[in-house]
Amino acid sequence: MRDVLTAENIEIKGWLSRKKALSIAYNADVFLLTSGWEGLPIALLEAMYMKKLCVVSNVVGNRDVIENNINGYVCDTVTQYAKAILAQRSVMIESAHEKVISEYNTSIMSKKYEEIYANSLSQYKD
């Protein structure tokens, strides 16, 4: 869609190194994720950690992490995205940062995955 996204404030980067992508994200005001589907959106978790306003599409993965109007915005329409980008940020940004630290840190996620694998394996014993 490069020919459609022609506004001066839009930069299309394509594939970038992790270091370059994180640098761009760090300097951004808003993290916008318009995915058609997600699993566990690592880029979203990183944006939450970097204290960015997170505005995401209403798909599994995104809405599992972002609680609409609490720690970011979950959107269905272009109008919702526009309103979210212009909305109040500070409380939601702090809420998102706290959630990523308390629920999605490496220690907690490792334990959750370990439990999932253990439960799956226990079904095949006997």
Side-chain angles (χ1 to χ4, degrees), residues 2 5 10-18 20-22 24:
R2 289 178 191 267
L5 301 172
I10 295 176
E11 290 183 45
I12 299 173
K13 298 291 189 181
W15 289 101
L16 300 172
S17 70
R18 176 174 169 71
K20 182 66 176 169
L22 287 174
I24 290 169

Side-chain angles (χ1 to χ4, degrees), residues 2-53:
R2 289 178 191 267
D3 58 323
V4 177
L5 301 172
T6 59
E8 290 181 19
N9 62 340
I10 295 176
E11 290 183 45
I12 299 173
K13 298 291 189 181
W15 289 101
L16 300 172
S17 70
R18 176 174 169 71
K19 183 177 179 179
K20 182 66 176 169
L22 287 174
S23 173
I24 290 169
Y26 181 77
N27 290 305
D29 295 323
V30 175
F31 180 77
L32 183 66
L33 186 60
T34 60
S35 305
W37 58 270
E38 284 289 341
L40 179 61
I42 300 301
L44 174 56
L45 298 176
E46 291 173 330
M48 292 166 70
Y49 184 79
M50 288 187 281
K51 296 186 174 183
K52 302 302 172 185
L53 175 66

Side-chain angles (χ1 to χ4, degrees), residues 16 20 35 58 76 83 97 104 111:
L16 300 172
K20 182 66 176 169
S35 305
N58 188 8
D76 290 303
K83 286 181 181 178
H97 187 255
Y104 293 97
K111 288 177 186 173

Side-chain angles (χ1 to χ4, degrees), residues 59-88:
V59 298
V60 171
N62 289 347
R63 66 176 174 254
D64 294 327
V65 175
I66 296 296
E67 299 168 76
N68 194 39
N69 294 313
I70 295 173
N71 64 352
Y73 295 100
V74 178
C75 303
D76 290 303
T77 67
V78 172
T79 301
Q80 288 175 344
Y81 281 105
K83 286 181 181 178
I85 290 168
L86 298 172
Q88 173 54 261

